Amino acid sequence: MDLTQYTFYTDKLKNALTPDRYMHTIGVAFTAAAMAMKYGTDTDKALLAGLLHDCAKCFSYDDKIALCNEGNVELTETELANPALIHAKLGAYIAQRDYGITDLEILDAIRTHTTGEPDMGILQKIIFLADLIEPGRRADIVPNLAGIREMAFTDLDECMYMVTKQQVEYLESDPSKVVDRATRDTYYCYREIHDNRITKGELNGFKRDR
C-alpha cells in the first residue's frame, strides 16, 4: 500500500471514528501487518483489514440497524440484543460501500473479527487476534494478555483456542450475558484442533482441558 492509498483510508477513518477508536484502529492495523510478516501472508491486506475492521463501530444503534437493512445484512437475535456485535458484519458492507473494498479475504476478516467462525482463513485469524492484542489493550481488561500476545506470534490456531475458550468461559460465568452462537462454534472448532494436536503429541507441554 502506497502513501496515497494509506492517507485516503486514514483520512476517511478520522472522520468516521472517535479519537480513541482511531488510535485502536491504527494499533490493530500495524499489529496485523506484523503478524502477516510473521506468518508469510499479504501485509497490505492485513494492514487494510486492520484499518477497516471497525469502520462501522461508531454509528448509532439506529443507524446500524438502518444500514444493515439497506445492505441486506442479516442479524441474529443475539446480535440485535447486543449492539456491540453488529459492527463487524455491518463493517464488511461499509468497507464495500464507502471504501471500495471488493477483496473477499479482507471483507471476511472484517465480518468475523468479533465473533469469529469455524475454520477461519489466516487473515481472519490475524485480524481477530490483532484486535485483541494491539498495543493499546490493557492487561487489567484482557486476562492473560501477555500470554495471548506471545501465542499470537507463535501458533495462530492455539491462540484462537486460548482466546475463544476464555471468551466463552467469561460469558458463561455471567447469567446476564449470552454466548453468541458464532463465538461458541468458533471455540468448539479450535478446541477440537487443540485436542487433536494434543492426542497426536504435537502440543507437548499444553494441558488438555475443556
Side-chain angles (χ1 to χ4, degrees):
M1 184 186 303
D2 63 30
L3 181 60
T4 300
Q5 292 172 309
Y6 180 78
T7 302
F8 167 77
Y9 293 118
T10 54
D11 283 351
K12 284 179 70 70
L13 288 165
K14 284 177 185 176
N15 291 323
L17 304 175
T18 64
D20 284 349
R21 184 57 49 180
Y22 178 75
M23 288 302 296
H24 164 73
T25 288
I26 297 300
V28 173
F30 284 99
T31 300
M35 293 175 70
M37 285 187 277
K38 161 67 179 177
Y39 292 107
T41 195
D42 193 310
T43 54
D44 279 351
K45 285 188 180 185
L47 184 66
L48 186 50
L51 284 173
L52 297 180
H53 81 286
D54 270 354
C55 64
K57 182 76 173 183
C58 293
F59 291 115
S60 69
Y61 177 77
D62 288 343
D63 284 344
K64 285 176 182 175
I65 298 302
L67 287 165
C68 284
N69 290 333
E70 173 189 293
N72 296 314
V73 178
E74 294 186 7
L75 299 174
T76 65
E77 290 184 10
T78 304
E79 287 166 339
L80 288 169
N82 294 272
L85 297 177
I86 296 174
H87 75 282
K89 285 182 178 178
L90 177 59
Y93 170 64
I94 296 300
Q96 289 179 288
R97 192 193 74 168
D98 294 352
Y99 297 84
I101 305 302
T102 58
D103 188 293
L104 292 180
E105 280 190 283
I106 294 173
L107 296 174
D108 280 344
I110 295 169
R111 175 180 57 82
T112 60
H113 82 267
T114 299
T115 62
E117 68 180 9
D119 302 316
M120 294 163 75
I122 187 169
L123 184 59
Q124 288 177 291
K125 288 182 278 192
I126 284 173
I127 299 304
F128 182 94
L129 295 171
D131 184 35
L132 186 69
I133 67 168
E134 60 95 0
R137 290 295 190 191
R138 290 165 39 197
D140 61 328
I141 300 298
V142 181
N144 191 30
L145 180 57
I148 292 170
R149 280 174 169 159
E150 180 179 2
M151 187 58 72
F153 283 89
T154 304
D155 187 323
L156 284 176
D157 285 345
E158 188 63 18
C159 195
M160 288 296 303
Y161 165 70
M162 289 174 60
V163 168
T164 56
K165 179 177 186 290
Q166 189 168 286
Q167 288 175 336
V168 169
E169 289 179 346
Y170 165 73
L171 292 169
E172 288 181 337
S173 70
D174 187 340
S176 69
K177 299 185 183 299
V178 176
V179 184
D180 180 80
R181 180 174 179 177
T183 301
R184 192 183 296 279
D185 287 347
T186 305
Y187 166 55
Y188 288 159
C189 172
Y190 289 97
R191 185 182 70 182
E192 182 176 3
I193 292 171
H194 168 85
D195 285 353
N196 287 339
R197 292 172 73 185
I198 288 286
T199 300
K200 294 176 182 178
E202 296 174 356
L203 288 173
N204 293 326
F206 286 93
K207 180 181 177 183
R208 182 187 176 91
D209 58 5
R210 302 183 87 85

